[in-house]
Amino acid sequence: MASYRSRRSSNTLPIWNWVVTIGSVLLCLLILPVRLPGMDIVGVGPNWLLIWVVAWSIGRTSWEGVIAGITLGLLQDSLTAPFPSHILGLTIAGILTARLHQRRVLQEDLISVALLVFGLAIIVETAMALQLTAQQMFSEDPLHVSLGSIWLYHQRVALSSAILSSLWAPVLYYPLKRWWDKYRVRD
Amino acid sequence: MLDLRRWRDKNELKSGLALLAVGTAIGVYQTNGAPINEAFQFLAKPFHLGSPPEQLENAYILDLQQRVVELENQNQRLRELIDYEKNSGLDVTTPAAVIGRSADNWWQQLTVNKGSNDGVKEGDFVTGPGGLVGRITSVTPNSARVLLLSDPSSQVGAKISRTRSMGYIRGEAGSQATMQFFEKFPDAKVGDVIVTSSFSRLFPQGVPIGRIAEIDSDKSPAPEATIQLSVPVSNLEWVDIHPYTPKRDVDAAPAQIVTDDNP
């Protein structure tokens, strides 16, 4: 029975696993521009891609986290603008999640994940603000006029995004994690 | 040797898939997210059926509209007489429904359900009920992305309609914007209507933007005014897209602009 099940799961695994993985990324991308009631505070919505990267990186290696960060960062950039890039923040999020989980600092329950997403959302927005700050200081034609305006805006965005992302994190994390645990490749 | 081979066997698939994922993402990135936008437009379609809402059949508004049309026509004719500017740029408009917002928190953008199939192109400007909304920054066959006036990176040359005092407006990520005047003592007071000026290169002149809500005359080097944008950007549902070609390439070097403008 056991051998039958493991054989079956290893046969059906690759395609369905990739369908679910890619499908969930697409779903996140399509949800990003939507602001449903309860999904925004002062026009800021949850960072779905960050939640996805966290769910992906838990229980995987840092490299897999990096790849996820780069891929989803590129995808989000394609939906907004090439600068400031989301790759930086999401890659940091991927590495940090994988590392924290490897060192057993991070548990896999929903509360810890929500807290982690809260912290990482602030880090992601800070990465964006730092890029804008660098551009403001060194470029002749900055997007934002003053450092004050960038960091004032950062406060607002980081807090709203962190609260919303951590509240919505379980919605995406729980089913994805269940799926990947079930269909994990066992070497 | 065997170790190396084993490592390769083990990681071949993984690295291949990683490359594939990043490669696909780069592809999407190169096309400015066109596949995602198209998919989004397709999925959002059922929720946005119907035609633009009927104008309020209010006799007073109709009366005003007719008078505006009349005045516009007169204005047009007078301008033609003095050969000032033949084309007001507001002739053909495409109504479009707002189907999405910005995909992150640092940009103030909208996605609308009209694209190059409907003749929309990059650089067109977008108005809503009340005035200017923004401009089109990218187009796919069935959707287009609008960079809002309220985005902090949007800067528009503006003037006070009543006194012609010039300045420029910068978005503040909300329903308000900041206007900086060029002169030290502008003739401005709270409630004045702000329209785009002839200095704005991305928009035609004379499009209403909003009203002055507050003036800070102590600001250095020039006074600043807080502008209440006249379009309710946060709950916008329908917009009009007007064809427009920006006066120059924004990225061009200054010398090139001068030669472009004065051939």
Side-chain angles (χ1 to χ4, degrees):
Chain A
M1 183 66 201
S3 68
Y4 168 71
R5 186 190 274 171
S6 72
R7 192 158 52 95
R8 207 189 98 205
S9 73
S10 67
N11 281 342
T12 54
L13 170 115
I15 290 176
W16 281 110
N17 196 17
W18 286 105
V19 166
V20 167
T21 306
I22 294 169
S24 60
V25 172
L26 273 181
L27 189 73
C28 287
L29 287 171
L30 293 179
I31 281 186
L32 273 182
V34 182
R35 299 278 191 278
L36 294 176
M39 261 196 214
D40 73 320
I41 301 178
V42 291
V44 174
N47 194 341
W48 292 104
L49 296 183
L50 171 68
I51 304 173
W52 196 93
V53 168
V54 168
W56 167 266
S57 305
I58 286 183
R60 287 193 169 79
T61 61
S62 307
W63 277 111
E64 286 168 310
V66 169
I67 295 292
I70 293 176
T71 309
L72 267 64
L74 275 169
L75 289 174
Q76 196 173 10
D77 281 357
S78 78
L79 285 180
T80 53
F83 185 91
S85 173
H86 300 84
I87 298 176
L88 182 66
L90 289 178
T91 308
I92 294 174
I95 297 176
L96 271 181
T97 311
R99 279 283 160 86
L100 286 176
H101 188 256
Q102 274 165 10
R103 302 205 175 159
R104 314 218 177 273
V105 181
L106 177 73
Q107 304 298 311
E108 289 187 9
D109 62 300
L110 295 182
I111 304 285
S112 328
V113 170
L115 282 176
L116 177 74
V117 169
F118 189 93
L120 287 178
I122 292 179
I123 292 177
V124 167
E125 303 302 347
T126 310
M128 297 289 279
L130 283 175
Q131 290 179 60
L132 286 170
T133 304
Q135 191 216 27
Q136 211 278 333
M137 291 192 324
F138 300 114
S139 155
E140 288 173 0
D141 188 20
L143 283 174
H144 285 246
V145 183
S146 69
L147 291 184
S149 80
I150 296 175
W151 289 97
L152 204 68
Y153 189 59
H154 168 259
Q155 278 179 15
R156 207 175 90 189
V157 168
L159 199 61
S160 325
S161 164
I163 292 171
L164 279 171
S165 304
S166 60
L167 285 177
W168 282 96
V171 175
L172 187 62
Y173 169 77
Y174 190 66
L176 273 182
K177 190 67 193 155
R178 282 293 295 270
W179 175 268
W180 281 326
D181 279 347
K182 208 170 154 195
Y183 288 86
R184 167 74 33 96
V185 190
R186 295 184 205 285
D187 293 325
Chain B
M1 193 60 204
L2 198 66
D3 277 355
L4 194 69
R5 202 153 154 210
R6 198 182 288 156
W7 184 88
R8 210 197 56 195
D9 285 351
K10 216 168 96 184
N11 288 292
E12 208 164 26
L13 180 70
K14 260 189 190 172
S15 45
L17 286 171
L19 276 179
L20 187 70
V22 176
T24 315
I26 290 176
V28 174
Y29 179 79
Q30 292 290 346
T31 58
N32 241 333
I36 303 169
N37 279 333
E38 282 291 295
F40 183 75
Q41 197 275 338
F42 181 75
L43 289 178
K45 221 181 217 169
F47 304 103
H48 287 277
L49 285 178
S51 49
E54 298 281 315
Q55 295 290 333
L56 285 176
E57 295 295 331
N58 187 320
Y60 183 56
I61 291 181
L62 272 179
D63 180 29
L64 282 180
Q65 274 178 344
Q66 282 157 5
R67 265 197 269 173
V68 167
V69 170
E70 175 57 27
L71 287 172
E72 261 180 357
N73 286 341
Q74 276 186 14
N75 195 350
Q76 187 85 27
R77 234 170 288 144
L78 289 170
R79 281 188 176 189
E80 272 169 22
L81 276 180
I82 57 173
D83 198 23
Y84 179 60
E85 192 175 355
K86 289 187 191 85
N87 186 3
S88 73
L90 284 163
D91 300 339
V92 196
T93 65
T94 316
V98 176
I99 56 173
R101 304 265 150 187
S102 164
D104 81 343
N105 307 321
W106 288 88
W107 291 94
Q108 304 284 316
Q109 293 172 327
L110 293 178
T111 310
V112 294
N113 70 346
K114 291 285 163 69
S116 53
N117 286 351
D118 303 285
V120 176
K121 62 182 194 317
E122 254 177 67
D124 289 355
F125 73 99
V126 179
T127 60
L132 193 60
V133 170
R135 65 192 167 86
I136 306 277
T137 50
S138 85
V139 180
T140 69
N142 289 309
S143 77
R145 209 180 292 157
V146 183
L147 183 67
L148 295 181
L149 192 64
S150 57
D151 191 275
S153 67
S154 278
Q155 287 195 6
V156 185
K159 68 187 173 199
I160 294 173
S161 178
R162 182 175 58 88
T163 64
R164 310 269 135 183
S165 285
M166 296 282 192
Y168 67 90
I169 281 187
R170 201 175 67 221
E172 279 191 347
S175 62
Q176 293 192 324
T178 309
M179 176 164 180
Q180 283 193 317
F181 292 102
F182 292 146
E183 31 192 329
K184 186 74 192 155
F185 301 106
D187 185 359
K189 63 180 195 317
V190 171
D192 278 349
V193 174
I194 307 291
V195 298
T196 54
S197 77
S198 50
F199 287 130
S200 81
R201 303 186 201 88
L202 301 173
F203 302 100
Q205 62 168 318
V207 185
I209 295 174
R211 285 171 178 278
I212 297 185
E214 205 184 327
I215 298 177
D216 181 2
S217 12
D218 300 332
K219 201 83 176 182
S220 168
E224 270 187 12
T226 308
I227 312 292
Q228 183 68 43
L229 300 178
S230 46
V231 180
V233 174
S234 53
N235 50 14
L236 203 56
E237 282 178 344
W238 287 91
V239 294
D240 289 319
I241 302 173
H242 309 270
Y244 185 70
T245 309
K247 278 181 196 153
R248 67 165 178 85
D249 183 8
V250 194
D251 301 325
Q256 212 176 331
I257 300 160
V258 173
T259 43
D260 279 358
D261 284 355
N262 313 307

